[in-house]
Amino acid sequence: MDSFTAAAPAVPLRVQPETRDVNAYDDDPSLGALLGQYLSPTDLAVLTPALRRLGGLVGDRLDDLAHAADRNPPVLHHRDRTGDDRQRIEKHPAYVEMERLGFGEFAMAAMSHRPALGLERPVPHAAKYAVQYLFAQSEFGLLCPISMTDALTRTIRRYGDPALVERYLAGLTAETLDEQIQGAMFMTERAAGSDVAATVTRAVPDGDGWRLYGDKWFCSNADAGLALVLARPDGAPDGIKGVSLFLLPRDLPDGSHNAYRIVRLKDKLGTRSMASGEITLEGATAWMVGAAGQGFVQMAEMVNQSRLSNAVRAAGMMRRALREALAVARGREAFGRRLIELPLQRRQLMKLTLATEQALSMSMFTADALARADAGDDEGKALRRILTPLLKFRVCRDARKVTGDAMEARGGVGYIEEWIEPRLVRDSHLGSIWEGTSNIVALDVLRAARKEMAHVALAGALGVRMADAGVAEELRARLTGLLARATAAVDTAAKAGAEGDHRARAVASGLYHAASACVLACDGALLGDRRRTALAELVIRHKLTPRDPLAEHDHDLDAAAEALLLG
């Protein structure tokens, strides 16, 4: 079998192996193969130069910029040098250059809304998330403003007043950074984190618009040109039905700054390149988006897009972590042997590989479901509804372990901030918190099952897909049985209501692993790729089958590690 890494052969022995000369796109044959499955040959041919260009920046120029921006976080200035109250956030030149790459050259926030990257129409979702997957291998923080700008644009185009869309769409999709309007969402409050129903920010009618009063506790991309804000209009009922969605501009049409101020910036563990802050609304002008009392339903559009982006970013960080660990294992010698030749090291690398490849296949499958949903396909809508929280829950948690174990693979040097491993570890922890903690998104999986029977739709779609892909009959029978068990477990927990909530994480993990084994098996059959079929078997054995931890040996994992990693 071939290796998962195209650059596997002939890695020179080094004291500390580097990956600067590796193109992240060319080094990831799985990514190119899966894109060939979800994109037309013509689209893939047009997009490949941009993907390869970005792959060349990862580990080289983009790495240098990300490292500099991480070491030089943004600074909030409250006054100018004459003492006038003119708030501004000073961003390091490295971050600004990354903005030019992300928002400008690669049009990452705009590509779903206008032609980009050589295509004469908006870029398909599979390709958009492939770009994010590659970019995240060097820089996670900037992808938050990029994702929020994309999601804000999507949300106001769906729910906003046409006059607002006409006023701001050109800036949100501009080709140059100087013309670009970036987006954000100001949702959380000190006492209302994930409990949006507890929102206390006030909205007061003012002519054709509204005035907002209150504090927002965690506002990423704090100086964005536009933000979607949750607030409760005066007189609205308590609870979630009283919360509405508002579009808040940083600057008013006359050029003056809107009536809110940034109180301070957060001193974060990770994503230090990007400014997150606390904001006080002091009668800020805003416009209601959509119907009153439907704020969270409408904000969910933006949240779900951000959740999917979060999961894809986590998958990208896992891929980078795996690449670093493989480079060390192939390029470093200990005890007279290359590390990759040591059986215990191979087993650990195989575990990293399994989680990483699961995440990639599931990310592409979910992107395809989103494309189907956007086209009006009912099954696609159901799949998107359950796959988004499922992916965000499991992939973001897996990234924390994969990045940590990859840091260990480099040894003590991997703990030093000159290398990317510490930043991957720090950034990976955000995914399990941002846009809903693990508990919140696992419960959302149960809500999707309880309200929309989305788990049943997922099982049905995967059954058809396995048959159409030509998955071997014996393997398909085992996968069908495991998928049925996982679906039944979700069903039982969902129907139990609050009594079943304590099972949310366990049954969500089971459904993710069963679904990912099916998707890997389909990928293997459709692509003629024995590696992905072997990975499906490993998911069955190591994620879905009870094992005795004191058993003498897991020969299948050793055999897979030798075949898939050594080639």
Side-chain angles (χ1 to χ4, degrees), residues 20-344:
R20 289 187 67 89
D21 57 346
V22 175
N23 184 297
Y25 180 72
D26 292 337
D27 183 60
D28 192 350
S30 297
L31 177 59
L34 290 176
L35 286 175
Q37 182 174 300
Y38 291 107
L39 298 177
S40 71
T42 300
D43 283 357
L44 182 57
V46 171
L47 293 167
T48 294
L51 293 166
R52 185 163 286 129
R53 155 83 171 146
L54 180 54
L57 293 172
V58 172
D60 190 5
R61 177 60 178 160
L62 188 54
D63 247 13
D64 293 340
L65 294 171
H67 181 74
D70 181 73
R71 299 295 288 269
N72 297 276
V75 177
L76 174 62
H77 298 282
H78 292 282
R79 292 184 171 186
D80 64 17
R81 63 182 182 178
T82 66
D84 290 335
D85 186 6
R86 298 181 187 276
Q87 280 198 331
R88 68 181 180 90
I89 294 176
E90 179 185 358
K91 302 172 183 178
H92 191 267
Y95 184 84
V96 175
E97 181 59 28
M98 289 195 296
E99 287 182 308
R100 294 191 186 281
L101 288 171
F103 282 99
E105 178 178 348
F106 291 100
M108 294 169 69
M111 65 170 62
S112 287
H113 310 283
R114 65 164 172 83
L117 305 185
L119 289 182
E120 296 181 353
R121 65 183 189 286
V123 173
H125 289 311
K128 177 177 78 172
Y129 289 113
V131 172
Q132 291 190 18
Y133 170 84
L134 288 169
F135 201 94
Q137 294 179 35
S138 282
E139 166 65 8
F140 184 97
L142 178 63
L143 285 171
C144 169
I146 286 171
S147 172
M148 290 196 299
T149 303
D150 175 23
L152 181 146
T153 306
R154 180 184 174 96
T155 302
I156 67 169
R157 291 183 73 182
R158 181 169 181 178
Y159 298 111
D161 187 301
L164 287 179
V165 177
E166 183 178 0
R167 179 183 300 173
Y168 290 117
L169 184 59
L172 289 165
T173 59
E175 296 187 10
T176 66
L177 188 60
D178 293 338
E179 300 170 311
Q180 175 76 39
I181 298 175
Q182 294 187 21
M185 60 179 171
F186 302 162
M187 183 167 62
T188 57
E189 299 177 2
R190 279 179 287 181
S194 295
D195 185 8
V196 175
T199 294
V200 297
T201 297
R202 292 176 59 211
V204 180
D206 180 40
D208 294 333
W210 296 77
R211 295 278 184 173
L212 304 185
Y213 299 86
D215 292 332
K216 290 297 181 179
W217 178 240
F218 215 109
C219 304
S220 291
N221 204 24
D223 63 342
L226 290 171
L228 285 173
V229 182
L230 290 178
R232 191 180 304 278
D234 283 357
D238 294 336
I240 196 69
K241 292 184 179 180
V243 177
S244 296
L245 183 64
F246 297 86
L247 184 66
L248 174 77
R250 180 187 61 202
D251 300 314
L252 299 175
D254 65 4
S256 63
H257 184 69
N258 207 350
Y260 69 87
R261 60 189 176 89
I262 304 169
V263 178
R264 65 171 178 169
L265 298 185
K266 301 287 195 182
D267 185 8
K268 297 174 292 182
L269 172 68
T271 64
R272 298 180 64 85
S273 64
M274 183 267 300
S276 298
E278 300 163 22
I279 285 177
T280 295
L281 300 158
E282 302 169 324
T285 296
W287 301 280
M288 186 178 287
V289 175
Q294 295 295 305
F296 185 69
V297 173
Q298 294 150 359
M299 177 65 90
E301 180 69 30
M302 188 167 184
V303 170
N304 282 329
Q305 290 297 110
S306 294
R307 283 179 174 177
L308 177 52
S309 176
N310 244 313
V312 172
R313 286 176 250 167
M317 287 192 290
M318 282 197 278
R319 178 64 200 183
R320 178 62 187 274
L322 174 62
R323 180 179 300 115
E324 297 297 318
L326 287 170
V328 171
R330 290 175 175 136
R332 187 170 168 85
E333 186 178 90
F335 312 112
R337 299 169 69 185
R338 287 193 307 155
L339 298 184
I340 194 71
E341 297 170 356
L342 302 176
L344 185 57

Side-chain angles (χ1 to χ4, degrees), residues 347-368:
R347 287 171 63 87
Q348 296 308 111
L349 291 170
M350 193 63 245
K351 292 176 181 179
L352 306 188
T353 300
L354 182 59
T356 300
E357 296 291 341
Q358 277 181 282
L360 177 58
S361 273
M362 286 294 282
S363 293
M364 292 293 104
F365 181 67
T366 305
D368 183 64

